[in-house]
Amino acid sequence: MHLFNLKIIKKQYLALGMLVFVVLFLFNSKPAFQCQLTPDSSAYLPTIYGITPTYARLAQKADLTRLSQTLMLVKNFHWIVIEDSASKTKLVENLLKESNLKYTHLNVKTDKPKGSSNHGNGSTASGVEQRNMALDWLRGHLRSPEGTPGVVFFMDDDNTYALKIFDEMRKIKRVGVWPVGIVGGMRVEMPLVTDGKVSGYNAVWKPYRPFPIDMAGFAINATLFLDFPEAKFSRKVQSGFQESEILKYVVTQQELEPLAENCTKVYVWHTRTQKPSIISPKKLKKPLVPDNHIEV
Ligand SMILES: *[C@@H]1O[C@H](CO)[C@@H](O)[C@H](O)[C@H]1NC(C)=O
Ligand SMILES: *[C@@H]1O[C@H](CO)[C@@H](O)[C@H](O)[C@H]1NC(C)=O
């Protein structure tokens, strides 16, 4: 009798247990089904075309290594690297090959205007020919069957990029803007936003610029470079006006799309690598062990 009761109780427990199990299973499987649906509904992940001019200097490999290893974490990224040189260097070629990134390697030498140093601080012409060459390449690519739509981001090789900035720029319809840290003599240079629209800028360096925004502070829908085939950078404009130069072709202030939580977050910093000082071998008492065979 006692044993029989126990059996019934056990059966009841078993049934209850199974019911709980089934309910939990149904509950759990709902989000699982949703997860399976998500990739279909967001099949379009815009390509980010990062355009990076670069030139030979002691810290070049260090800077490109740091940047490339950030880019390895970005999905659907195509890196367009343009060397300011008469021919492609082994250093950049090998770095790109070993990165496993999707890349395009170009080169064009800047012809120096009379009496100006090539890459002096604030050189007005720095990167103009290189970025224009990248845009020419991009137009051809976008018209070809391999061309995928997306956004164009002009990336200095020594800036610092948080991964969040790449998520932000995929939302762009036309041109997206956001704050840039440590630039133009400020902690943060940024568009001012009223009711979700850009209403001004808090720049102090040449605030009369049509778009007082750093190169790292915006990205442009790649399609616009097909719509505006004349859009390019210019050697003729004064220092600090390159951003305004390219933006004037493709967008008005009213059309700018404030990203990074209505321009309240910093996801990119205009860091600059300090020029390293190396002791001249001539000044050393004892000759150094030769190290020219080592790439630095
Ligand atoms: C860019 O423009 C095209 C064409 O207007 C549009 O389909 C696309 O959604 C826009 N944004 C991105 C990030 O590609
Ligand atoms: C930006 O501001 C607009 C207008 O105030 C608001 O509707 C929107 O939700 C804000 N966006 C974000 C991401 O905070």
Side-chain angles (χ1 to χ4, degrees):
M1 188 67 189
H2 185 79
L3 209 73
F4 179 71
N5 262 345
L6 204 72
K7 257 188 188 163
I8 287 174
I9 289 166
K10 264 192 177 166
K11 263 186 189 161
Q12 282 170 339
Y13 271 123
L14 199 68
L16 195 69
M18 276 168 80
L19 192 70
V20 166
F21 183 79
V22 166
V23 166
L24 279 178
F25 177 77
L26 282 175
F27 232 162
N28 270 332
S29 59
K30 233 182 183 171
F33 285 129
Q34 279 170 356
C35 281
Q36 280 175 352
L37 285 172
T38 316
D40 288 336
S41 53
S42 66
Y44 173 51
L45 185 67
T47 300
I48 294 170
Y49 294 97
I51 294 181
T52 302
T54 187
Y55 64 95
R57 62 198 188 269
L58 189 47
Q60 184 185 28
K61 191 177 182 183
D63 284 337
L64 288 175
T65 297
R66 188 174 54 235
L67 177 53
S68 68
Q69 293 186 358
T70 295
L71 299 179
M72 286 173 200
L73 302 170
V74 184
K75 275 189 215 124
N76 254 19
F77 186 85
H78 188 137
W79 201 14
I80 306 168
V81 178
I82 323 92
E83 289 193 73
D84 184 350
S85 61
S87 56
K88 295 182 179 71
T89 64
K90 274 269 167 288
L91 186 147
V92 175
E93 195 176 302
N94 289 337
L95 187 133
L96 288 170
K97 256 186 217 154
E98 284 164 25
S99 73
N100 275 327
L101 288 167
K102 187 169 188 182
Y103 69 86
T104 298
H105 185 187
L106 305 169
N107 67 285
V108 55
K109 184 145 185 64
T110 306
D111 34 88
K112 287 186 208 173
K114 280 162 257 118
S116 82
S117 71
N118 204 356
H119 292 286
N121 276 339
S123 159
T124 53
S126 186
V128 169
E129 282 87 346
Q130 289 72 30
R131 291 191 185 96
N132 282 342
M133 176 182 250
L135 291 178
D136 284 346
W137 177 88
L138 182 69
R139 287 185 174 102
H141 177 73
L142 291 173
R143 285 193 204 100
S144 78
E146 299 94 72
T148 48
V151 296
V152 177
F153 185 31
F154 298 102
M155 311 177 72
D156 287 1
D157 61 4
D158 57 351
N159 282 350
T160 306
Y161 304 92
L163 295 176
K164 280 183 177 169
I165 199 61
F166 302 101
D167 297 332
E168 287 298 303
M169 65 181 74
R170 289 191 221 267
K171 303 172 189 167
I172 288 172
K173 294 188 189 79
R174 202 172 179 88
V175 175
V177 290
W178 46 78
V180 178
I182 331 174
V183 70
M186 303 181 79
R187 292 176 66 244
V188 53
E189 197 182 73
M190 62 187 178
L192 301 170
V193 178
T194 313
D195 298 329
K197 290 274 169 200
V198 174
S199 53
Y201 310 88
N202 78 331
V204 294
W205 185 63
K206 299 189 180 177
Y208 49 87
R209 290 175 288 166
F211 293 93
I213 306 177
D214 184 73
M215 203 66 85
F218 65 91
I220 300 175
N221 191 321
T223 311
L224 291 179
F225 288 102
L226 294 181
D227 299 344
F228 299 96
E230 71 283 17
K232 59 173 168 35
F233 295 94
S234 167
R235 284 283 287 273
K236 297 200 177 82
V237 303
Q238 59 162 302
S239 147
F241 278 66
Q242 290 302 340
E243 296 85 352
S244 299
E245 186 62 18
I246 197 76
L247 287 169
K248 76 174 189 197
Y249 289 101
V250 297
V251 78
T252 62
Q253 182 183 309
Q254 290 70 36
E255 292 170 320
L256 292 174
E257 297 149 44
L259 296 172
E261 297 187 21
N262 283 321
C263 295
T264 61
K265 299 282 182 204
V266 175
Y267 297 145
V268 54
W269 297 261
H270 191 261
T271 46
R272 310 195 72 171
T273 303
Q274 187 184 324
K275 193 171 188 286
S277 55
I278 297 294
I279 299 163
S280 163
K282 283 175 216 142
K283 288 188 183 154
L284 297 171
K285 291 199 186 79
K286 199 169 77 166
L288 280 177
V289 176
D291 61 10
N292 284 336
H293 59 295
I294 295 179
E295 189 181 272
V296 178

